[in-house]
Amino acid sequence: MIISRRLLPYAVLFCALLWGSAFPGIKGIYSEWAANGIEATFFDRLLVAGVRFSLAGLLLLLLSKRPLEAWRRTSKSKLLSFALTQTFFQYLIFYTALAVSSAVLGGLLIATGSLWWVVLAPLLLKTAWPSRRQWFLLALGVIGVLLAMYKPGAGSGSPALGAFLFILTTLSGTLGVIVLQGIVPTMSSRTATGFGLLMGGILLCLAGIPAWPAVAELFTLKVVLLTAHLTFVSAAGFGIWNYLTTLFPVNLLAGYRFLVPICAVVESSLLVAGESPGAGIFIGGALVIAAVVGLQHVTKTPVKP
């Protein structure tokens, strides 16, 4: 099915709603464990994340064209680097961040990935250095993050630690996008994402080996259902987004990425018990989103998600 320019905003909104639902979904798993008296460990979280991304990677590879052929002609070291940055380290940190802070704060700070891109692309891809206006917008985004940390709202846990971890999460994800640039000449982005999720998911499962004996206790029916939803979120979100990149310019798509933090904050506020955004989320969020949208208009090289 070909998606027209008129339907593009709705397709991107659907992706944003999917990705935004991941925040309350993970929080739901943590709440289920707490309700059952399980004091979740770092390794428990890694195991659940690993199962999710391994399954999501398999689903994407099933939707890819000739993935084994692409595997043979692609650098394995680049694929491993992609799996480590885009999946393993990003979600190792992300699941920890959601354990110590709020989904609302994390939903907002996911937008910092675009800010990282503007800083890192000149260093690693030799693109043009940010202009004065771009530096101003980056500073505006940083001020927004600080305001969000200052008044994050109810259920924020440890906002300073959480914000630090969420920002590290987007740093790892941005590095993954940069690594991907060296893979796409020999492998489609969908196939690369599938291998990245699968390999990263397997590594997360291996890192969570201490939790394996408690797998039956950890994966209650509710956790299984939430993990299935999160698997669908990853596979469908990436699958639709990658399809859109074959139809529309990346610059055009990047301009819609601000919908992701908005959806994540709204969905987390509505679906996560005990969480609500404070003044800092509204004011700081407006500054962060303004910075991200502004960067889309002044950056000649596309700002990647």
Side-chain angles (χ1 to χ4, degrees):
M1 181 183 71
I2 301 297
I3 298 175
S4 68
R5 179 76 169 263
R6 182 173 56 85
L7 295 177
L8 174 61
Y10 302 101
V12 177
L13 177 60
F14 181 65
C15 289
L17 287 169
L18 283 175
W19 285 323
S21 71
F23 293 83
I26 296 169
K27 279 290 193 179
I29 291 175
Y30 294 169
S31 297
E32 169 71 2
W33 286 342
N36 292 333
I38 299 173
E39 294 186 10
T41 68
F42 174 70
F43 300 105
D44 296 336
R45 295 190 289 269
L46 292 187
L47 178 58
V48 171
V51 170
R52 168 194 174 184
F53 292 112
S54 296
L55 293 174
L58 284 173
L59 281 176
L60 272 181
L61 289 175
L62 288 174
L63 297 173
S64 301
K65 295 181 179 179
R66 298 185 289 277
L68 293 180
E69 179 181 325
W71 168 270
R72 285 192 290 269
R73 64 172 183 259
T74 302
S75 166
K76 306 306 181 290
S77 61
K78 289 181 180 179
L79 279 174
L80 178 59
S81 297
F82 180 57
L84 288 172
T85 51
Q86 187 75 9
T87 304
F88 181 76
F89 288 120
Q90 180 173 198
Y91 288 99
L92 180 153
I93 301 168
F94 181 73
Y95 273 67
T96 303
L98 279 179
V100 302
S101 189
S102 67
V104 170
L105 181 62
L108 169 63
L109 295 185
I110 195 174
T112 58
S114 293
L115 307 182
W116 277 121
W117 176 264
V118 176
V119 175
L120 292 176
L123 290 172
L124 301 179
L125 295 179
K126 308 305 180 184
T127 60
W129 279 98
S131 64
R132 266 190 258 181
R133 186 176 178 187
Q134 289 171 315
W135 282 118
F136 169 77
L137 290 168
L138 286 169
L140 188 68
V142 171
I143 292 170
V145 170
L146 294 175
L147 286 172
M149 288 168 51
Y150 180 63
K151 292 286 186 181
S156 57
S158 302
L161 176 59
F164 174 72
L165 292 174
F166 284 127
I167 291 171
L168 282 183
T169 294
T170 59
L171 170 60
S172 183
T174 303
L175 289 172
V177 173
I178 290 173
V179 173
L180 180 61
Q181 306 312 300
I183 296 175
V184 289
T186 56
M187 180 179 285
S188 72
S189 59
R190 177 184 298 177
T191 304
T193 301
F195 279 120
L197 291 174
L198 176 60
M199 294 166 66
I202 291 172
L203 290 173
L204 285 167
C205 286
L206 292 175
I209 282 177
W212 287 14
V215 65
E217 182 182 5
L218 293 172
F219 283 88
T220 64
L221 177 60
K222 184 176 180 179
V223 172
V224 169
L225 293 175
L226 285 170
T227 301
H229 168 72
L230 292 169
T231 298
F232 172 76
V233 163
S234 297
F238 279 118
I240 295 171
W241 182 261
N242 288 337
Y243 175 63
L244 292 176
T245 62
T246 67
L247 302 177
F248 302 99
V250 176
N251 272 337
L252 175 63
L253 293 174
Y256 289 103
R257 288 290 297 191
F258 69 90
L259 289 172
V260 178
I262 292 176
C263 289
V265 169
V266 171
E267 290 178 77
S268 298
S269 301
L270 295 175
L271 300 175
V272 180
E275 286 195 17
S276 60
I281 293 293
F282 290 111
I283 300 172
L287 293 180
V288 170
I289 291 171
V292 170
V293 173
L295 285 169
Q296 311 302 330
H297 289 90
V298 301
T299 305
K300 293 180 180 179
T301 300
V303 176
K304 304 283 182 168

